Amino acid sequence: MEILRRFTITLLCLIVLTPLGLAWKAGTAKVVITPETPIWMAGYAARDKPAQGTGQDLYAKALALEDIRGNRVVLITTDLLGFSDEFISGVAKRIADSTGLSRDRLLFNASHTHSGPALARVLDIAYLMSPEQKEAVASYTLSLADKLVSLVETALSDLQPCKVTHGYATASFAINRRVETSSGFVIGANRAGPVDHSVPVLAIDSERGSLRAVVFGYSCHNTTLQGSNYHYHGDYAGVAQEWLEKRYPDSIALFVTGTGGDSNPYPRGTRELAEEHGASLGRAVADALTGPLYSIAPSIGATFDTVDLEFKVPPSRSVLEKQLEDENPHKRLHAKKFLAELDANGSIDSNYSYPVQIWNLGNAITLVALGGEVVGDYGFRIKREIEAKSVWVAGYSNDVSCYIPSRRILREGGYEAEESMIYYGRPGSFQPTVEDRIMAKVHELSAKLREEE
Ligand SMILES: [Zn+2]
């Protein structure tokens, strides 16, 4: 009888509220995560001192959504370069303990700003920090974990009826950054290379019709500001979020990084350009909010799993010993790390347990969130192969522990395929199977969600 009563209420809610799009609930929260002291900054190995000040505050933001059946998910976006699986798993475990939300229902995305703080155990080899500086980064990382846990709790305590709609904009400042030269691929501006200018938009409106939150994505490195900048800053993504929050003062704007592993803003290099690109992205999102926007039915599906990726045969002891003499200090640190692993375990671990997460919103949006610095080829392929009204592909999610090159980029070589693996402390480049393994997991999880509907 109770089941019948609940079914009848649910059905009535669906009939009465769904046309109005008000059967969703949403809660929002944001917190400043700018370090209180000047600590080492993430992203550029050539930096030789900690931050010198703040150009723009950095934020972590959360959007909690609840569907008509009470299913919940929380999207957490951060003005950070990236984070480790170890850090995010620890935060997710604490959130699960306090709220009951399982791992598949929490999605953490990093804006990949290169003007934010370094975090403990991310890109260790890239930063030549003193022990005191390492201590400051470790202490910041601990305080960040506390902030993220209470951020999610606050968003969940704020759930109110709302309407969820979806649309698209475009922004044109991203450019493919892989340029072929006689000595291989280098980072530059490749006007002919593949790039994704689409900007997926999710709008959350209150019962009264005012905007409470807007989520928007873009596939482009958040690197308008370069290594000469020593001031904390959210880069173009931070500017776009601030622009939207000024335009809609009762809302929060959340930026989700897409598959921008092989694209850069163009042109780049100054604060003015970061402001210009950010404002153009903000304007594009504001334009999309004027419509047409499509109503999303109040249902949520969520799934999360890992897939084993393999690195190529790890370097031998003799190769590593030779690397100890390299003039590049990062290569020396890389050799030291793997010689220590050889000494301790007798072998080098060449597996990587890689996170793949999918959310299905209203049987209309399939949001595929991949770990790492995912290159554009994955975005194009997933949008082509996954059947859904709208496919939204995010990279830089849940674990940002190296580049994720496609089969094509592995074949071509260059920074995203090879050299970056030194800085990320990986044994070497990926096996060519990496793309198919990830795609197989995306298809498997997407089919699983469809079956559960
Ligand atoms: Zn990057």
Side-chain angles (χ1 to χ4, degrees):
M1 197 57 197
E2 174 62 15
I3 289 171
L4 186 66
R5 198 177 67 86
R6 282 177 58 186
F7 175 75
T8 311
I9 291 170
T10 304
L11 194 67
L12 278 172
C13 285
L14 273 169
I15 292 166
V16 176
L17 294 176
T18 305
L20 304 173
L22 285 172
W24 285 98
K25 284 185 179 166
T28 62
K30 74 173 188 178
V31 62
V32 173
I33 56 167
T34 318
E36 283 163 15
T37 53
I39 66 170
W40 208 263
M41 294 170 79
Y44 291 114
R47 284 202 181 103
D48 57 7
K49 55 181 183 284
Q52 305 292 293
T54 299
Q56 183 191 36
D57 265 325
L58 308 173
Y59 291 90
K61 300 176 189 174
L63 169 66
L65 287 173
E66 182 181 292
D67 72 8
I68 201 161
R69 290 171 297 179
N71 295 315
R72 294 174 173 182
V73 288
V74 185
L75 168 69
I76 302 107
T77 63
T78 59
D79 294 322
L80 293 169
L81 182 93
F83 24 59
S84 67
D85 166 60
E86 185 190 14
F87 174 75
I88 291 298
S89 293
V91 170
K93 169 81 173 56
R94 287 176 59 188
I95 294 170
D97 289 345
S98 79
T99 70
L101 274 186
S102 51
R103 183 66 194 84
D104 52 337
R105 295 182 176 272
L106 299 165
L107 194 169
F108 297 84
N109 184 271
S111 80
H112 204 48
T113 176
H114 282 46
S115 299
L119 296 189
R121 296 193 202 162
V122 181
L123 282 157
D124 276 356
I125 286 171
Y127 311 134
L128 305 174
M129 287 186 266
S130 68
E132 294 73 32
Q133 286 152 355
K134 277 190 178 167
E135 185 74 19
V137 164
S139 153
Y140 172 79
T141 307
L142 285 176
S143 69
L144 176 68
D146 292 342
K147 283 188 176 179
L148 293 180
V149 173
S150 59
L151 175 80
V152 172
E153 290 167 348
T154 306
L156 284 167
S157 66
D158 179 49
L159 288 167
Q160 299 160 40
C162 71
K163 181 179 172 188
V164 177
T165 54
H166 173 53
Y168 277 98
T170 56
S172 58
F173 61 85
I175 194 164
N176 186 287
R177 69 179 205 180
R178 288 171 51 81
V179 177
E180 188 170 14
T181 67
S182 54
S183 53
F185 280 81
V186 298
I187 291 182
N190 175 5
R191 285 182 181 79
V195 68
D196 186 351
H197 285 161
S198 67
V199 180
V201 175
L202 194 72
I204 316 296
D205 287 297
S206 72
E207 274 180 305
R208 291 200 197 113
S210 67
L211 188 72
R212 289 193 61 212
V214 57
V215 185
F216 61 106
Y218 197 47
S219 291
C220 179
H221 254 74
N222 202 7
T223 49
T224 323
L225 298 169
Q226 295 181 277
S228 55
N229 172 51
Y230 282 86
H231 287 76
Y232 298 126
H233 201 281
D235 210 292
Y236 78 75
V239 174
Q241 291 173 90
E242 191 179 327
W243 192 97
L244 286 161
E245 289 177 3
K246 275 193 185 137
R247 172 83 174 252
Y248 306 99
D250 297 329
S251 75
I252 65 166
L254 302 93
F255 175 76
V256 173
T257 310
T259 53
D262 54 345
S263 57
N264 266 341
Y266 181 83
R268 61 198 283 247
T270 65
R271 180 89 62 92
E272 288 70 30
L273 286 168
E275 281 163 9
E276 202 177 294
H277 295 324
S280 75
L281 183 54
R283 267 194 304 275
V285 173
D287 276 352
L289 290 174
T290 65
L293 293 167
Y294 304 96
S295 230
I296 302 299
S299 75
I300 298 170
T303 182
F304 180 103
D305 201 1
T306 57
V307 54
D308 280 340
L309 305 182
E310 282 179 314
F311 297 103
K312 282 184 186 158
V313 181
S316 65
R317 182 176 288 275
S318 63
V319 167
L320 290 169
E321 278 167 355
K322 197 165 166 234
Q323 201 180 307
L324 279 178
E325 312 296 320
D326 200 288
E327 60 181 22
N328 178 336
H330 307 286
K331 287 191 176 170
R332 295 201 297 272
L333 282 172
H334 182 264
K336 230 169 132 181
K337 171 184 160 135
F338 286 103
L339 281 169
E341 191 175 331
L342 268 180
D343 289 343
N345 306 333
S347 64
I348 291 171
D349 185 3
S350 59
N351 280 308
Y352 170 28
S353 184
Y354 176 75
V356 177
Q357 180 173 28
I358 305 188
W359 285 356
N360 194 337
L361 303 179
N363 297 326
I365 303 174
T366 296
L367 170 56
V368 179
L370 302 174
E373 300 210 39
V374 184
V375 299
D377 287 345
Y378 286 92
F380 298 125
R381 188 167 167 192
I382 291 169
K383 287 194 220 179
R384 214 166 46 234
E385 293 185 13
I386 294 295
E387 280 180 40
K389 193 170 171 190
S390 178
V391 180
W392 184 331
V393 188
Y396 301 81
S397 299
N398 299 309
D399 176 19
V400 186
S401 296
C402 62
Y403 276 84
I404 306 297
S406 59
R407 195 192 298 111
R408 172 182 67 88
I409 288 179
L410 277 172
R411 193 176 57 238
E412 293 173 351
Y415 182 76
E416 296 85 357
E418 289 153 5
E419 197 188 342
S420 62
M421 294 297 177
I422 297 277
Y423 296 91
Y424 269 113
R426 295 298 187 174
S429 57
F430 278 113
Q431 295 279 12
T433 52
V434 61
E435 180 177 325
D436 286 341
R437 285 199 179 196
I438 292 172
M439 286 307 302
K441 183 55 76 176
V442 168
H443 280 289
E444 178 199 319
L445 294 186
S446 157
K448 185 181 152 212
L449 273 186
R450 273 203 303 275
E451 273 168 29
E452 285 172 4
E453 276 157 16

